[in-house]
Amino acid sequence: MRKLALPVAFAAVAAATAVLVPAVSAAPAAPEELNWGPCPDTGIPTPDLECTTVQVPLDYADPDGRKIDLAISRLPSKNPDKRRGVLLTNPGGPGGAGLNYPQLLTNPAFPAPLPQGVREQYDVIGIDPRGVGHSDPVTCDLTPEQLAIGNLPYANGPADVVRQAEVAKAEARQCADSATGSMLPHMTTANTARDMDRVRAALGESKVSYLGASYGTYLGAVYTTMFPQRSDRFVLDSNLGPGGYDIEAMRGFGRGMQDRFPDFAKFAAAHPEHGLGTTPAEVTAKYHELADRLDRNPVAGYDGSIFRGMTFTLLYNDDLGTLAQGWRALDHGEDPKLPGGVPTATDNVMAARFAVVCGESDWPRSVQSYQRDVAVDRKRYPLIGAAAANISACAYWSKPAAEPQVRITDRGPSNVLMVQNERDPGTPLAGARELRSALGDRARMVTADQGGHGVYVFGANQCANNAVNDFLVTGARPEQDSSCAAESR
């Protein structure tokens, strides 16, 4: 989902060997009696949605034990006579709330909002995943000071890693000691996939279609691996690698920004009125100079670390003019006055992210290992690599997942369409290619010659959007992987 909140970043050693996890508990065959009604406050108006809750086991190995609530929403089909089924959605994360996502997908302000043909065929379903938002939420009791550090704390040297280690240690302890600490081992992607299958059953559907973005691509891949015969048409947009948010994805933020930043450098150089340089090289030099200056003398709450994170976040979008204006303001010692001010994540978002990312992978315990990673990635990915490789709460995590990760395989029907921007800062093309390889003949991938995070609805490439629309409406996919050329705006 596109919002001004810094994407979470952690550094880790290689993820634990993933195995194929069976569905521990089959979903009930009969639909539930769901009491649909108005939706709770999600931060945006949701006039077209109706909401309800579904109960699921906290621990699927103990299906008769403690239950938790999932908040779900429904954007009903615009033409019940043409209705094909349900389209489950996930906007990303982990930690991203999805209750209002069906409404967001129809927003006419986006380049290619959900078209009538898709809305006629599906009830579009939103879900706040377990532990998130209006579902029973997890917490780490993070302080405003901890949240204000941001999700990408840049390390200028070994001493910064040592300082961040103390923050990370406190965060991990707070998560473990919180009132929801017992939930953390069960905040797995596999359990979230099982929750999706419970929602499917509660809706009375034998199969579901799916639209997932960012982390939602990994969640979708896990679901269709665990429940291949219950999967109809699956769209994975802006793809993680087959290991989910493991070390490859975390440190991949550095690579993603290196891929994407040249688009902004060319834009700013072509608009000298912003005063950021007249060549891409000058704009790149301005980035480093401004970050160093803000480290010495922050402006309106923006130090060099927050400035780097702000730049990374706004590179998710095609609104490069807003980013240029923000740079210009900071360059002149002024508040950039971005929507929402200095972006921070909420306690619930961070707690849910920590639970999934820290719990599902093994993490190095030694501060020195992170210092080495930071030194390597500062040179390899100089724009933000030293932030993506920095230490996090995962180094001190004491609540490992109750089960191993799911190994994504090519076993199952050929019913997955992947769409991917060539220059995606959050989920680089390299990771998408790895997921494509893991899915084998189950998938086809359409790659768009554009930058930013998000292809379908949020991106302006008509060729790529049409590929998704055709698949959701007719089931037709390209016979082989294909590319969409850049399109002028």
Side-chain angles (χ1 to χ4, degrees), residues 267-278 321 324-325 328 332:
F267 170 87
H271 292 82
E273 65 272 17
H274 293 297
L276 305 177
T278 58
Q325 292 167 13
R328 182 179 181 181
H332 286 80

Side-chain angles (χ1 to χ4, degrees), residues 18-24 188 190-191 194 222 225-227 402-409 411:
V19 300
L20 185 62
V21 177
V24 177
T188 64
N191 273 341
R194 295 183 184 108
V222 167
T225 295
M226 294 174 66
F227 305 102
E403 60 184 332
Q405 284 181 283
V406 173
R407 179 170 57 88
I408 307 302
T409 76
R411 295 194 292 274

Side-chain angles (χ1 to χ4, degrees), residues 71-432:
I72 69 172
S73 65
R74 178 171 66 179
L75 178 67
S77 165
K78 299 290 286 184
N79 187 341
D81 291 338
K82 292 186 177 180
R83 180 185 179 278
R84 172 183 176 81
V86 297
L87 179 69
L88 270 59
T89 62
N90 182 277
L99 201 64
N100 61 18
Y101 197 50
Q103 189 78 59
L104 282 172
L105 291 170
T106 69
N107 190 329
F110 292 137
L114 209 62
Q116 181 177 351
V118 173
R119 294 185 62 182
E120 287 181 338
Q121 293 225 12
Y122 299 95
D123 293 341
V124 184
I125 306 299
I127 306 173
D128 277 357
R130 60 171 48 212
V132 175
H134 292 281
S135 297
D136 286 346
V138 293
T139 179
C140 287
D141 300 320
L142 300 176
T143 66
E145 291 75 20
Q146 288 169 328
L147 292 171
I149 291 171
N151 303 320
L152 291 169
Y154 191 87
N156 286 296
D160 285 346
V161 180
V162 173
R163 282 189 286 271
Q164 183 59 27
E166 292 304 309
V167 176
K169 186 184 300 184
E171 290 172 338
R173 184 177 61 250
Q174 289 165 222
C175 293
D177 294 344
S178 77
T180 59
S182 62
M183 291 177 62
L184 299 181
H186 306 290
M187 291 281 294
T188 64
T189 303
N191 273 341
T192 302
R194 295 183 184 108
D195 292 344
M196 289 168 53
D197 204 55
R198 285 295 178 102
V199 170
R200 173 201 61 76
L203 294 171
E205 302 289 335
S206 60
K207 291 186 177 184
V208 291
S209 293
Y210 178 78
L211 171 63
S214 197
Y215 166 75
T217 62
Y218 177 61
L219 174 60
V222 167
Y223 180 92
T224 199
T225 295
M226 294 174 66
F227 305 102
Q229 301 309 317
R230 297 174 188 166
S231 306
D232 192 8
R233 297 171 182 171
F234 267 53
V235 177
L236 309 182
D237 180 351
S238 306
N239 297 268
L240 282 175
Y245 266 121
D246 58 9
I247 186 175
E248 300 297 332
M250 294 303 116
R251 294 176 71 180
F253 285 142
R255 176 173 184 164
M257 188 160 174
Q258 295 293 144
D259 290 345
R260 172 62 164 154
F261 187 83
D263 291 336
F264 174 71
K266 292 176 184 176
F267 170 87
H271 292 82
E273 65 272 17
H274 293 297
L276 305 177
T278 58
T279 67
E282 290 179 356
V283 175
T284 303
K286 171 61 73 174
Y287 172 84
H288 293 293
E289 185 271 325
L290 189 51
D292 291 343
R293 194 195 326 157
L294 290 169
D295 271 333
R296 296 190 301 271
N297 299 294
V299 172
Y302 287 80
D303 60 12
S305 181
I306 295 296
F307 165 73
R308 292 179 178 94
M310 174 200 82
T311 300
F312 178 73
T313 299
L314 292 181
L315 287 175
Y316 271 45
N317 306 318
D318 270 336
D319 185 9
L320 300 182
T322 294
L323 179 56
Q325 292 167 13
W327 275 35
R328 182 179 181 181
L330 290 169
D331 194 32
H332 286 80
E334 301 168 356
D335 187 343
K337 296 182 179 179
L338 296 172
V342 179
T344 58
T346 67
D347 173 70
N348 176 235
V349 167
M350 291 300 295
R353 288 174 175 173
F354 284 147
V356 175
V357 178
C358 300
E360 288 195 336
S361 297
D362 287 334
W363 299 81
R365 298 286 178 171
S366 117
V367 173
Q368 290 76 18
S369 67
Y370 293 97
Q371 291 173 323
R372 289 193 295 270
D373 288 345
V374 164
V376 168
D377 283 6
R378 180 182 294 107
K379 292 182 179 179
R380 184 168 57 168
Y381 306 126
L383 293 169
I384 206 167
N390 205 354
I391 195 168
S392 79
C394 297
Y396 304 98
W397 201 249
S398 62
K399 295 284 187 177
E403 60 184 332
Q405 284 181 283
V406 173
R407 179 170 57 88
I408 307 302
T409 76
D410 61 358
R411 295 194 292 274
S414 185
N415 61 351
V416 178
L417 177 65
M418 301 171 60
V419 287
Q420 178 72 32
N421 287 332
E422 287 186 7
R423 299 177 301 283
D424 186 324
T427 52
L429 179 59

